[in-house]
Amino acid sequence: MNRLLGSVVVIAYVLTCFGVFAWWMPHFFAVNIELLPEANYRYVAATGIPFGLLLVTVIARQSLKGYFSPVMLFQVLFAGALLYAGLYAFYFPLQANFFCAAHLVVCAAGVVWNLYRHRKELALWERTQAAAAA
């Protein structure tokens, strides 16, 4: 039952994300049609892609743990707070560049750390499963 409920929640989450994206994208392009994308800290952070990658790695790591990890929660909250500060100061380049660059550094460091730790935890989990099966 837990597996079925977990699958239903994950499918509902994915469908909700696609629905929000389908609603957001036409509105974003309609409002910002005259703005050309730039390759700087502000625009890369504002895409949300680095934050999304961080969230995916946190979800992957948390899925292997048998307990809630406050360290990963604070990692996400810190990156989210920096993103919020960067978007709040978006039209003030000095402040926005700092917050967005800090957000990108935190996201990059978090993704690398989470992938490294996920690989280690997955190997440990596989060894535990193999020992339990033997």
Side-chain angles (χ1 to χ4, degrees):
M1 182 63 181
N2 286 339
R3 188 174 190 168
L4 176 67
L5 184 61
S7 297
V8 168
V9 169
V10 168
I11 290 170
Y13 176 74
V14 168
L15 290 175
T16 303
C17 289
F18 279 120
V20 168
F21 184 69
W23 176 83
W24 169 81
M25 192 170 67
H27 289 84
F28 176 79
F29 286 119
V31 170
N32 297 310
I33 197 73
E34 73 278 354
L35 295 177
L36 295 175
E38 299 174 18
N40 61 24
Y41 298 128
R42 294 182 303 159
Y43 284 90
V44 172
T47 63
I49 293 171
F51 192 56
L53 289 174
L54 177 69
L55 291 176
V56 167
T57 60
V58 166
I59 291 167
R61 268 192 75 198
Q62 188 65 51
S63 69
L64 289 177
K65 293 189 175 290
Y67 58 90
F68 176 74
S69 175
V71 172
M72 286 189 270
L73 173 67
F74 290 128
Q75 186 181 39
V76 168
L77 290 178
F78 186 59
L82 286 172
L83 178 61
Y84 176 77
L87 294 176
Y88 190 70
F90 193 78
Y91 292 109
F92 302 101
L94 290 176
Q95 292 87 1
N97 284 338
F98 170 75
F99 287 123
C100 290
H103 168 73
L104 293 176
V105 167
V106 167
C107 285
V111 165
V112 169
W113 177 253
N114 287 336
L115 288 175
Y116 172 75
R117 292 301 306 161
H118 182 264
R119 187 175 59 89
K120 294 281 189 182
E121 292 164 0
L122 186 61
L124 177 66
W125 184 78
E126 287 174 350
R127 282 195 305 267
T128 305
Q129 293 297 322

mmCIF file with all atom_site columns, all heavy atoms in Angstrom, residues 63-79:
data_model
loop_
_atom_site.group_PDB
_atom_site.id
_atom_site.type_symbol
_atom_site.label_atom_id
_atom_site.label_alt_id
_atom_site.label_comp_id
_atom_site.label_asym_id
_atom_site.label_entity_id
_atom_site.label_seq_id
_atom_site.pdbx_PDB_ins_code
_atom_site.Cartn_x
_atom_site.Cartn_y
_atom_site.Cartn_z
_atom_site.occupancy
_atom_site.B_iso_or_equiv
_atom_site.pdbx_formal_charge
_atom_site.auth_seq_id
_atom_site.auth_comp_id
_atom_site.auth_asym_id
_atom_site.auth_atom_id
_atom_site.pdbx_PDB_model_num
ATOM 1   N N   . SER A 1 63 ? 15.716 9.806  -0.754 1.00 0.00 ? 63 SER A N   1
ATOM 2   C CA  . SER A 1 63 ? 14.971 8.570  -1.013 1.00 0.00 ? 63 SER A CA  1
ATOM 3   C C   . SER A 1 63 ? 15.690 7.339  -0.467 1.00 0.00 ? 63 SER A C   1
ATOM 4   O O   . SER A 1 63 ? 15.044 6.339  -0.172 1.00 0.00 ? 63 SER A O   1
ATOM 5   C CB  . SER A 1 63 ? 14.721 8.415  -2.510 1.00 0.00 ? 63 SER A CB  1
ATOM 6   O OG  . SER A 1 63 ? 15.936 8.150  -3.184 1.00 0.00 ? 63 SER A OG  1
ATOM 7   N N   . LEU A 1 64 ? 17.016 7.407  -0.340 1.00 0.00 ? 64 LEU A N   1
ATOM 8   C CA  . LEU A 1 64 ? 17.765 6.265  0.172  1.00 0.00 ? 64 LEU A CA  1
ATOM 9   C C   . LEU A 1 64 ? 17.841 6.240  1.684  1.00 0.00 ? 64 LEU A C   1
ATOM 10  O O   . LEU A 1 64 ? 18.137 5.207  2.277  1.00 0.00 ? 64 LEU A O   1
ATOM 11  C CB  . LEU A 1 64 ? 19.187 6.272  -0.388 1.00 0.00 ? 64 LEU A CB  1
ATOM 12  C CG  . LEU A 1 64 ? 19.328 5.949  -1.869 1.00 0.00 ? 64 LEU A CG  1
ATOM 13  C CD1 . LEU A 1 64 ? 20.772 6.065  -2.294 1.00 0.00 ? 64 LEU A CD1 1
ATOM 14  C CD2 . LEU A 1 64 ? 18.798 4.566  -2.161 1.00 0.00 ? 64 LEU A CD2 1
ATOM 15  N N   . LYS A 1 65 ? 17.602 7.372  2.313  1.00 0.00 ? 65 LYS A N   1
ATOM 16  C CA  . LYS A 1 65 ? 17.717 7.446  3.771  1.00 0.00 ? 65 LYS A CA  1
ATOM 17  C C   . LYS A 1 65 ? 16.444 6.921  4.420  1.00 0.00 ? 65 LYS A C   1
ATOM 18  O O   . LYS A 1 65 ? 15.363 7.032  3.889  1.00 0.00 ? 65 LYS A O   1
ATOM 19  C CB  . LYS A 1 65 ? 17.963 8.884  4.211  1.00 0.00 ? 65 LYS A CB  1
ATOM 20  C CG  . LYS A 1 65 ? 19.304 9.424  3.779  1.00 0.00 ? 65 LYS A CG  1
ATOM 21  C CD  . LYS A 1 65 ? 19.564 10.750 4.438  1.00 0.00 ? 65 LYS A CD  1
ATOM 22  C CE  . LYS A 1 65 ? 20.929 11.259 4.119  1.00 0.00 ? 65 LYS A CE  1
ATOM 23  N NZ  . LYS A 1 65 ? 21.993 10.513 4.731  1.00 0.00 ? 65 LYS A NZ  1
ATOM 24  N N   . GLY A 1 66 ? 16.623 6.385  5.598  1.00 0.00 ? 66 GLY A N   1
ATOM 25  C CA  . GLY A 1 66 ? 15.464 5.912  6.333  1.00 0.00 ? 66 GLY A CA  1
ATOM 26  C C   . GLY A 1 66 ? 14.944 6.945  7.312  1.00 0.00 ? 66 GLY A C   1
ATOM 27  O O   . GLY A 1 66 ? 14.049 6.669  8.093  1.00 0.00 ? 66 GLY A O   1
ATOM 28  N N   . TYR A 1 67 ? 15.510 8.127  7.267  1.00 0.00 ? 67 TYR A N   1
ATOM 29  C CA  . TYR A 1 67 ? 15.140 9.190  8.202  1.00 0.00 ? 67 TYR A CA  1
ATOM 30  C C   . TYR A 1 67 ? 15.194 10.542 7.497  1.00 0.00 ? 67 TYR A C   1
ATOM 31  O O   . TYR A 1 67 ? 15.766 10.668 6.424  1.00 0.00 ? 67 TYR A O   1
ATOM 32  C CB  . TYR A 1 67 ? 16.076 9.189  9.419  1.00 0.00 ? 67 TYR A CB  1
ATOM 33  C CG  . TYR A 1 67 ? 17.532 9.357  9.055  1.00 0.00 ? 67 TYR A CG  1
ATOM 34  C CD1 . TYR A 1 67 ? 18.109 10.615 8.972  1.00 0.00 ? 67 TYR A CD1 1
ATOM 35  C CD2 . TYR A 1 67 ? 18.330 8.252  8.774  1.00 0.00 ? 67 TYR A CD2 1
ATOM 36  C CE1 . TYR A 1 67 ? 19.432 10.770 8.615  1.00 0.00 ? 67 TYR A CE1 1
ATOM 37  C CE2 . TYR A 1 67 ? 19.653 8.401  8.419  1.00 0.00 ? 67 TYR A CE2 1
ATOM 38  C CZ  . TYR A 1 67 ? 20.206 9.665  8.355  1.00 0.00 ? 67 TYR A CZ  1
ATOM 39  O OH  . TYR A 1 67 ? 21.507 9.819  8.002  1.00 0.00 ? 67 TYR A OH  1
ATOM 40  N N   . PHE A 1 68 ? 14.594 11.531 8.121  1.00 0.00 ? 68 PHE A N   1
ATOM 41  C CA  . PHE A 1 68 ? 14.580 12.887 7.573  1.00 0.00 ? 68 PHE A CA  1
ATOM 42  C C   . PHE A 1 68 ? 15.926 13.547 7.850  1.00 0.00 ? 68 PHE A C   1
ATOM 43  O O   . PHE A 1 68 ? 16.443 13.486 8.958  1.00 0.00 ? 68 PHE A O   1
ATOM 44  C CB  . PHE A 1 68 ? 13.457 13.690 8.221  1.00 0.00 ? 68 PHE A CB  1
ATOM 45  C CG  . PHE A 1 68 ? 13.423 15.122 7.787  1.00 0.00 ? 68 PHE A CG  1
ATOM 46  C CD1 . PHE A 1 68 ? 12.972 15.458 6.533  1.00 0.00 ? 68 PHE A CD1 1
ATOM 47  C CD2 . PHE A 1 68 ? 13.858 16.120 8.632  1.00 0.00 ? 68 PHE A CD2 1
ATOM 48  C CE1 . PHE A 1 68 ? 12.944 16.772 6.126  1.00 0.00 ? 68 PHE A CE1 1
ATOM 49  C CE2 . PHE A 1 68 ? 13.837 17.433 8.240  1.00 0.00 ? 68 PHE A CE2 1
ATOM 50  C CZ  . PHE A 1 68 ? 13.377 17.759 6.976  1.00 0.00 ? 68 PHE A CZ  1
ATOM 51  N N   . SER A 1 69 ? 16.495 14.203 6.841  1.00 0.00 ? 69 SER A N   1
ATOM 52  C CA  . SER A 1 69 ? 17.796 14.855 6.989  1.00 0.00 ? 69 SER A CA  1
ATOM 53  C C   . SER A 1 69 ? 17.622 16.368 7.048  1.00 0.00 ? 69 SER A C   1
ATOM 54  O O   . SER A 1 69 ? 17.335 17.001 6.028  1.00 0.00 ? 69 SER A O   1
ATOM 55  C CB  . SER A 1 69 ? 18.699 14.483 5.822  1.00 0.00 ? 69 SER A CB  1
ATOM 56  O OG  . SER A 1 69 ? 19.904 15.205 5.894  1.00 0.00 ? 69 SER A OG  1
ATOM 57  N N   . PRO A 1 70 ? 17.815 16.976 8.218  1.00 0.00 ? 70 PRO A N   1
ATOM 58  C CA  . PRO A 1 70 ? 17.707 18.434 8.308  1.00 0.00 ? 70 PRO A CA  1
ATOM 59  C C   . PRO A 1 70 ? 18.812 19.159 7.542  1.00 0.00 ? 70 PRO A C   1
ATOM 60  O O   . PRO A 1 70 ? 18.629 20.291 7.110  1.00 0.00 ? 70 PRO A O   1
ATOM 61  C CB  . PRO A 1 70 ? 17.781 18.726 9.806  1.00 0.00 ? 70 PRO A CB  1
ATOM 62  C CG  . PRO A 1 70 ? 18.271 17.501 10.452 1.00 0.00 ? 70 PRO A CG  1
ATOM 63  C CD  . PRO A 1 70 ? 18.043 16.362 9.512  1.00 0.00 ? 70 PRO A CD  1
ATOM 64  N N   . VAL A 1 71 ? 19.948 18.515 7.339  1.00 0.00 ? 71 VAL A N   1
ATOM 65  C CA  . VAL A 1 71 ? 21.041 19.141 6.586  1.00 0.00 ? 71 VAL A CA  1
ATOM 66  C C   . VAL A 1 71 ? 20.593 19.419 5.158  1.00 0.00 ? 71 VAL A C   1
ATOM 67  O O   . VAL A 1 71 ? 20.842 20.500 4.609  1.00 0.00 ? 71 VAL A O   1
ATOM 68  C CB  . VAL A 1 71 ? 22.298 18.246 6.612  1.00 0.00 ? 71 VAL A CB  1
ATOM 69  C CG1 . VAL A 1 71 ? 23.364 18.781 5.677  1.00 0.00 ? 71 VAL A CG1 1
ATOM 70  C CG2 . VAL A 1 71 ? 22.829 18.123 8.029  1.00 0.00 ? 71 VAL A CG2 1
ATOM 71  N N   . MET A 1 72 ? 19.920 18.459 4.557  1.00 0.00 ? 72 MET A N   1
ATOM 72  C CA  . MET A 1 72 ? 19.437 18.658 3.185  1.00 0.00 ? 72 MET A CA  1
ATOM 73  C C   . MET A 1 72 ? 18.320 19.698 3.143  1.00 0.00 ? 72 MET A C   1
ATOM 74  O O   . MET A 1 72 ? 18.215 20.452 2.183  1.00 0.00 ? 72 MET A O   1
ATOM 75  C CB  . MET A 1 72 ? 18.987 17.333 2.585  1.00 0.00 ? 72 MET A CB  1
ATOM 76  C CG  . MET A 1 72 ? 20.163 16.445 2.230  1.00 0.00 ? 72 MET A CG  1
ATOM 77  S SD  . MET A 1 72 ? 19.692 15.003 1.301  1.00 0.00 ? 72 MET A SD  1
ATOM 78  C CE  . MET A 1 72 ? 19.404 13.868 2.634  1.00 0.00 ? 72 MET A CE  1
ATOM 79  N N   . LEU A 1 73 ? 17.498 19.730 4.171  1.00 0.00 ? 73 LEU A N   1
ATOM 80  C CA  . LEU A 1 73 ? 16.459 20.754 4.237  1.00 0.00 ? 73 LEU A CA  1
ATOM 81  C C   . LEU A 1 73 ? 17.081 22.142 4.287  1.00 0.00 ? 73 LEU A C   1
ATOM 82  O O   . LEU A 1 73 ? 16.668 23.039 3.549  1.00 0.00 ? 73 LEU A O   1
ATOM 83  C CB  . LEU A 1 73 ? 15.564 20.541 5.462  1.00 0.00 ? 73 LEU A CB  1
ATOM 84  C CG  . LEU A 1 73 ? 14.544 21.656 5.724  1.00 0.00 ? 73 LEU A CG  1
ATOM 85  C CD1 . LEU A 1 73 ? 13.497 21.684 4.626  1.00 0.00 ? 73 LEU A CD1 1
ATOM 86  C CD2 . LEU A 1 73 ? 13.924 21.498 7.087  1.00 0.00 ? 73 LEU A CD2 1
ATOM 87  N N   . PHE A 1 74 ? 18.096 22.325 5.117  1.00 0.00 ? 74 PHE A N   1
ATOM 88  C CA  . PHE A 1 74 ? 18.742 23.631 5.212  1.00 0.00 ? 74 PHE A CA  1
ATOM 89  C C   . PHE A 1 74 ? 19.492 23.988 3.933  1.00 0.00 ? 74 PHE A C   1
ATOM 90  O O   . PHE A 1 74 ? 19.584 25.145 3.559  1.00 0.00 ? 74 PHE A O   1
ATOM 91  C CB  . PHE A 1 74 ? 19.670 23.697 6.424  1.00 0.00 ? 74 PHE A CB  1
ATOM 92  C CG  . PHE A 1 74 ? 18.933 23.710 7.727  1.00 0.00 ? 74 PHE A CG  1
ATOM 93  C CD1 . PHE A 1 74 ? 19.244 22.817 8.723  1.00 0.00 ? 74 PHE A CD1 1
ATOM 94  C CD2 . PHE A 1 74 ? 17.896 24.601 7.950  1.00 0.00 ? 74 PHE A CD2 1
ATOM 95  C CE1 . PHE A 1 74 ? 18.548 22.812 9.919  1.00 0.00 ? 74 PHE A CE1 1
ATOM 96  C CE2 . PHE A 1 74 ? 17.195 24.611 9.133  1.00 0.00 ? 74 PHE A CE2 1
ATOM 97  C CZ  . PHE A 1 74 ? 17.529 23.713 10.131 1.00 0.00 ? 74 PHE A CZ  1
ATOM 98  N N   . GLN A 1 75 ? 20.008 22.984 3.254  1.00 0.00 ? 75 GLN A N   1
ATOM 99  C CA  . GLN A 1 75 ? 20.661 23.211 1.962  1.00 0.00 ? 75 GLN A CA  1
ATOM 100 C C   . GLN A 1 75 ? 19.655 23.800 0.965  1.00 0.00 ? 75 GLN A C   1
ATOM 101 O O   . GLN A 1 75 ? 19.944 24.777 0.280  1.00 0.00 ? 75 GLN A O   1
ATOM 102 C CB  . GLN A 1 75 ? 21.218 21.880 1.470  1.00 0.00 ? 75 GLN A CB  1
ATOM 103 C CG  . GLN A 1 75 ? 22.044 21.925 0.228  1.00 0.00 ? 75 GLN A CG  1
ATOM 104 C CD  . GLN A 1 75 ? 22.523 20.539 -0.156 1.00 0.00 ? 75 GLN A CD  1
ATOM 105 O OE1 . GLN A 1 75 ? 21.789 19.555 -0.024 1.00 0.00 ? 75 GLN A OE1 1
ATOM 106 N NE2 . GLN A 1 75 ? 23.749 20.452 -0.621 1.00 0.00 ? 75 GLN A NE2 1
ATOM 107 N N   . VAL A 1 76 ? 18.478 23.213 0.914  1.00 0.00 ? 76 VAL A N   1
ATOM 108 C CA  . VAL A 1 76 ? 17.441 23.694 -0.003 1.00 0.00 ? 76 VAL A CA  1
ATOM 109 C C   . VAL A 1 76 ? 16.934 25.066 0.433  1.00 0.00 ? 76 VAL A C   1
ATOM 110 O O   . VAL A 1 76 ? 16.741 25.960 -0.403 1.00 0.00 ? 76 VAL A O   1
ATOM 111 C CB  . VAL A 1 76 ? 16.283 22.672 -0.086 1.00 0.00 ? 76 VAL A CB  1
ATOM 112 C CG1 . VAL A 1 76 ? 15.085 23.257 -0.792 1.00 0.00 ? 76 VAL A CG1 1
ATOM 113 C CG2 . VAL A 1 76 ? 16.757 21.417 -0.789 1.00 0.00 ? 76 VAL A CG2 1
ATOM 114 N N   . LEU A 1 77 ? 16.712 25.260 1.733  1.00 0.00 ? 77 LEU A N   1
ATOM 115 C CA  . LEU A 1 77 ? 16.226 26.555 2.217  1.00 0.00 ? 77 LEU A CA  1
ATOM 116 C C   . LEU A 1 77 ? 17.238 27.661 1.968  1.00 0.00 ? 77 LEU A C   1
ATOM 117 O O   . LEU A 1 77 ? 16.859 28.783 1.597  1.00 0.00 ? 77 LEU A O   1
ATOM 118 C CB  . LEU A 1 77 ? 15.882 26.468 3.707  1.00 0.00 ? 77 LEU A CB  1
ATOM 119 C CG  . LEU A 1 77 ? 14.660 25.633 4.063  1.00 0.00 ? 77 LEU A CG  1
ATOM 120 C CD1 . LEU A 1 77 ? 14.478 25.588 5.571  1.00 0.00 ? 77 LEU A CD1 1
ATOM 121 C CD2 . LEU A 1 77 ? 13.423 26.159 3.382  1.00 0.00 ? 77 LEU A CD2 1
ATOM 122 N N   . PHE A 1 78 ? 18.529 27.381 2.154  1.00 0.00 ? 78 PHE A N   1
ATOM 123 C CA  . PHE A 1 78 ? 19.558 28.392 1.921  1.00 0.00 ? 78 PHE A CA  1
ATOM 124 C C   . PHE A 1 78 ? 19.636 28.770 0.444  1.00 0.00 ? 78 PHE A C   1
ATOM 125 O O   . PHE A 1 78 ? 19.677 29.957 0.093  1.00 0.00 ? 78 PHE A O   1
ATOM 126 C CB  . PHE A 1 78 ? 20.905 27.880 2.426  1.00 0.00 ? 78 PHE A CB  1
ATOM 127 C CG  . PHE A 1 78 ? 22.004 28.900 2.369  1.00 0.00 ? 78 PHE A CG  1
ATOM 128 C CD1 . PHE A 1 78 ? 21.899 30.099 3.049  1.00 0.00 ? 78 PHE A CD1 1
ATOM 129 C CD2 . PHE A 1 78 ? 23.142 28.663 1.626  1.00 0.00 ? 78 PHE A CD2 1
ATOM 130 C CE1 . PHE A 1 78 ? 22.905 31.043 2.997  1.00 0.00 ? 78 PHE A CE1 1
ATOM 131 C CE2 . PHE A 1 78 ? 24.150 29.594 1.562  1.00 0.00 ? 78 PHE A CE2 1
ATOM 132 C CZ  . PHE A 1 78 ? 24.036 30.788 2.248  1.00 0.00 ? 78 PHE A CZ  1
ATOM 133 N N   . ALA A 1 79 ? 19.624 27.757 -0.428 1.00 0.00 ? 79 ALA A N   1
ATOM 134 C CA  . ALA A 1 79 ? 19.651 28.033 -1.873 1.00 0.00 ? 79 ALA A CA  1
ATOM 135 C C   . ALA A 1 79 ? 18.386 28.772 -2.293 1.00 0.00 ? 79 ALA A C   1
ATOM 136 O O   . ALA A 1 79 ? 18.436 29.697 -3.117 1.00 0.00 ? 79 ALA A O   1
ATOM 137 C CB  . ALA A 1 79 ? 19.811 26.744 -2.662 1.00 0.00 ? 79 ALA A CB  1
#
